[in-house]
Amino acid sequence: RTKETADLFLVLVMELLKDGGRAAIVLPDGTLFGEGVKTKIKKKMLEDCNLHTIIRLPKTVSAPYTSISTNILFLTKGEPTKDVWYFEHKLPEGVKAYNKTKPMRVEEFDAERKWWTERTESEVSWRVSAADIAKNNYNLDIKNPNAPIEVHDDPDEILQEFKELTANVREIQAKLKNL
């Protein structure tokens, strides 16, 4: 029982797929974590479908419409999940964020295409067993354990980043006041 449309959509897709049927679904981060009904849905998905891949998309992929992070879930119905592969899609070099004038382009998925047939763990990809996911209460929001740790040695760089974030918050606050 839920009114969350993303959860309802995922359940519908799982019901409509025939054994051997495949789907790629774009869903918000909230679908990956959460308790109660969400846990039951994810448990059913891992038992009834092979959720073999989750592509983690950048936060700004749907900007300016929403800032909610999204993922592409790839699944095949009729066999249980053994492992889930994750791939963290990075913004192209020199791009700070996607927006209306600079949207994501299909060519940017070349890294995923290359990785797809010969999967290995790297700074942007990792694998988690279904057993580990079950032990973690079916939380699929698993952070990249292979990501390089960002070190900010330069205080001026940190201050500049803080100023940019603060300006962004002020801009959003102003837009909200004008609604």
Side-chain angles (χ1 to χ4, degrees):
R1 295 178 179 220
T2 181
K3 292 181 181 179
E4 178 65 42
T5 55
D7 295 340
L8 293 169
F9 179 68
L10 178 56
V11 170
L12 177 65
V13 168
M14 289 189 301
E15 287 297 318
L16 292 177
L17 278 176
K18 295 178 180 156
D19 279 355
R22 300 178 304 163
I25 311 167
V26 178
L27 292 170
D29 260 359
T31 306
L32 300 182
F33 56 87
E35 302 293 322
V37 173
K38 286 185 181 293
T39 300
K40 290 177 185 176
I41 293 169
K42 293 178 289 189
K43 181 176 190 258
K44 180 171 177 49
M45 177 174 53
L46 292 178
E47 290 172 352
D48 295 353
C49 300
N50 179 12
L51 174 65
H52 55 82
T53 310
I54 297 177
I55 306 290
R56 307 295 307 254
L57 297 173
K59 192 170 200 134
T60 60
V61 76
S62 298
Y65 309 105
T66 182
S67 61
I68 297 171
S69 295
T70 55
N71 308 274
I72 308 172
L73 280 64
F74 294 85
L75 53 99
T76 304
K77 187 171 181 177
E79 55 188 78
T81 302
K82 293 181 182 96
D83 294 313
V84 179
W85 277 95
Y86 290 80
F87 191 98
E88 191 170 24
H89 183 91
K90 298 286 189 182
L91 289 166
E93 188 138 347
V95 176
K96 288 190 173 187
Y98 292 116
N99 57 44
K100 235 181 199 179
T101 59
K102 292 184 182 175
M104 178 182 272
R105 297 176 330 191
V106 72
E107 300 84 36
E108 293 172 28
F109 284 96
D110 287 344
E112 286 89 330
R113 282 190 199 103
K114 182 178 177 185
W115 168 83
W116 192 268
T117 54
E118 293 185 33
R119 297 180 182 205
T120 58
E121 292 199 22
S122 69
E123 288 184 357
V124 295
S125 63
W126 64 102
R127 177 177 37 186
V128 180
S129 73
D132 287 344
I133 292 168
K135 285 180 199 170
N136 199 21
N137 203 26
Y138 295 95
N139 182 0
L140 295 169
D141 186 29
I142 299 170
K143 302 302 177 211
N144 184 350
N146 304 328
I149 299 171
E150 286 188 43
V151 178
H152 294 283
D153 294 333
D154 184 7
D156 291 332
E157 185 180 311
I158 295 170
L159 184 59
Q160 180 60 35
E161 188 176 328
F162 175 75
K163 287 178 181 178
E164 289 172 7
L165 290 171
T166 304
N168 191 16
V169 168
R170 287 191 187 122
E171 183 181 320
I172 291 169
Q173 286 174 330
K175 287 179 182 177
L176 289 173
K177 286 180 182 179
N178 291 333
L179 290 179

